[in-house]
Amino acid sequence: MSNVFIAFQKNEESRAIVNAILADNPQAIVSDQPAMVKIDVPTRLVVRKSTIEEEIGRDFDLQEMQIHLITMSGNVDETDDEFTLTWHQ
């Protein structure tokens, strides 16, 4: 099974999102490149609104994440509180 991944522009605004993803996905592998940060995770990657809000200290709408998003790989499941990437079997 391939990893799922998500990549963000490397900027100050996306740093909190990346930190939150790393906190919620202990198996994450980070590839820090000059213009982007790519996060690979085996099987399932979860992005939790509550963790991002803790990182940035304000309310956060998960739709805001798309402003900084470059690409992703996996099947998307999105609610108001979580964004998940998986590969369905």
Side-chain angles (χ1 to χ4, degrees), residues 9-53:
Q9 297 172 34
K10 190 173 183 178
N11 59 44
E12 194 61 37
E13 292 81 21
S14 63
R15 185 182 314 230
I17 299 168
V18 170
N19 288 343
I21 292 171
L22 296 178
D24 287 335
N25 298 273
Q27 296 178 323
I29 300 164
V30 178
S31 176
D32 194 356
Q33 300 176 17
M36 73 174 194
V37 177
K38 181 181 177 215
I39 303 167
D40 288 274
V41 181
T43 313
R44 181 176 186 267
L45 181 149
V46 63
V47 181
R48 291 189 178 93
K49 175 183 174 177
S50 59
T51 309
I52 295 172
E53 289 176 339

Side-chain angles (χ1 to χ4, degrees), residues 3-6 43 72-77 84-88:
N3 287 350
V4 294
F5 70 82
I6 193 164
T43 313
M72 63 185 154
S73 177
N75 297 308
V76 176
D77 183 23
T84 306
L85 290 173
T86 59
W87 285 118
H88 298 296

